[in-house]
Amino acid sequence: MTDRMPIIAGNWKMHRDHLEAIQLVQKLAYHLNPEDYEGQEVLVCPPFVSLRSIQTLIQSDKLPIGLGAQNCHDQDEGAFTGEISAGMLARLDVSYVLCGHSERRALFGETDEVVNAKVVAVQRHGLRPILCVGEVQEERESGRADEVVIDQLRGSLQGITISDAAELVIAYEPVWAIGTGLTATPDDAQQMCAVIRTELAALYSQPIADGVRIQYGGSVKPGNVRELMGQPDIDGALVGGASLSSEDFALIVGHRR
Ligand code: 13P
């Protein structure tokens, strides 16, 4: 048994305008039972433009839902047209920031070095990074998945101190399972999450590794979440497509019912 508090996060990606975002959170709150929140964190990560509206909704309706952002810049301010800093996110009561999502890595050229700078910036502002790692299909098929994920971890955690490491959330998202309907088997997902925990123990210490929460992401649905969450090293889910349906996301959050 573990006392790590599960964390279920919805990554909305580039979906929903701010009016639709308000509706989605209102519907989600309607579908969730009070006991669904008990002993676990529930988080939504909408596009930047909806953060302020959802922050206000969460505050005014006293919803036990946390707010996450999908990305940030590593600098605090400056001539970086189109970018958002971690400090700005902190002012919006954002508590988590996705760092190094595979879409950021693949489509926007984010290297481990860039991801590392973002993790540092997020922690500088007292927010918690959700560091995303995961192999592509060809890396899995060639038996290199563990090595790839370990390299991503090491590269993205350069210079992160032991006390900052304790605040991390890691999301294992095999790229081939994202948005494809293919899910890693619970055994495969568990195996990689255990590899990640072992690496955290090597990089930091066993108590740190035992405390860090590791999410699985990649086609998580109401029908597969329970088995995934039942694995000893899986402490949560990072949900894409299914988080855009209030009913489905509520079923995922309420998987213990
Ligand atoms: P899907 O749940 O749509 O596969 O997306 C997973 C993901 O990328 C979450 O960050």
Side-chain angles (χ1 to χ4, degrees):
M1 282 300 283
T2 153
D3 56 4
R4 295 185 293 268
M5 186 185 284
I7 174 166
I8 306 218
N11 172 14
W12 296 4
K13 310 191 179 183
M14 196 174 75
H15 294 288
R16 304 293 185 265
D17 64 33
H18 77 288
L19 297 172
E20 294 165 335
I22 292 169
Q23 275 187 352
L24 183 51
V25 173
Q26 282 171 330
K27 284 191 192 164
L28 176 64
Y30 171 80
H31 286 298
L32 286 170
N33 294 339
E35 63 267 25
D36 293 337
Y37 299 108
E38 259 169 47
Q40 68 178 357
E41 272 187 271
V42 181
L43 204 66
V44 290
C45 307
F48 290 132
V49 293
S50 298
L51 288 171
R52 175 65 176 152
S53 312
I54 299 181
Q55 176 205 25
T56 308
L57 174 63
I58 287 173
Q59 270 178 5
S60 61
D61 289 5
K62 298 191 173 48
L63 302 177
I65 295 176
L67 203 47
Q70 299 174 17
N71 183 31
C72 70
H73 196 271
D74 64 283
Q75 298 295 303
D76 290 347
E77 61 178 4
F80 302 108
T81 301
E83 292 293 318
I84 306 277
S85 75
M88 295 170 185
L89 298 174
R91 297 282 287 158
L92 289 168
D93 294 338
V94 165
S95 38
Y96 290 88
V97 183
L98 303 183
C99 295
H101 189 280
S102 64
E103 286 148 20
R104 302 291 322 166
R105 292 177 188 265
L107 305 174
F108 301 95
E110 290 192 10
T111 59
D112 286 336
E113 200 181 356
V114 169
V115 176
N116 178 229
K118 294 187 180 199
V119 169
V120 170
V122 165
Q123 297 202 310
R124 189 164 62 238
H125 289 278
L127 307 178
R128 293 177 171 201
I130 298 181
L131 171 62
C132 305
V133 294
E135 80 287 357
V136 301
Q137 179 129 32
E138 180 253 316
E139 291 161 341
R140 172 150 290 261
E141 281 165 2
S142 60
R144 289 171 45 236
D146 291 8
E147 177 197 330
V148 166
V149 166
I150 288 171
D151 277 357
Q152 287 174 339
L153 271 180
R154 288 184 188 159
S156 308
L157 293 176
Q158 286 287 324
I160 301 298
T161 62
I162 195 159
S163 61
D164 283 342
E167 302 296 317
L168 290 169
V169 174
I170 310 285
Y172 168 56
E173 298 205 304
V175 179
W176 48 271
I178 294 178
T180 57
L182 298 172
T183 319
T185 64
D187 282 351
D188 283 347
Q190 159 59 27
Q191 183 270 336
M192 186 62 87
C193 291
V195 165
I196 291 171
R197 207 175 295 288
T198 302
E199 183 59 23
L200 289 172
L203 286 173
Y204 296 103
S205 69
Q206 193 61 49
I208 293 290
D210 288 340
V212 167
R213 291 171 298 171
I214 304 177
Q215 298 175 308
Y216 168 79
S219 299
V220 175
K221 305 275 183 263
N224 59 24
V225 63
R226 196 175 309 179
E227 214 185 338
L228 288 161
M229 292 291 289
Q231 303 301 314
D233 286 295
I234 299 181
D235 311 309
L238 184 54
V239 186
S243 71
L244 297 171
S245 154
S246 53
E247 288 92 345
D248 281 357
F249 193 56
L251 286 170
I252 289 170
V253 172
H255 68 276
R256 299 168 301 181
R257 272 187 233 165

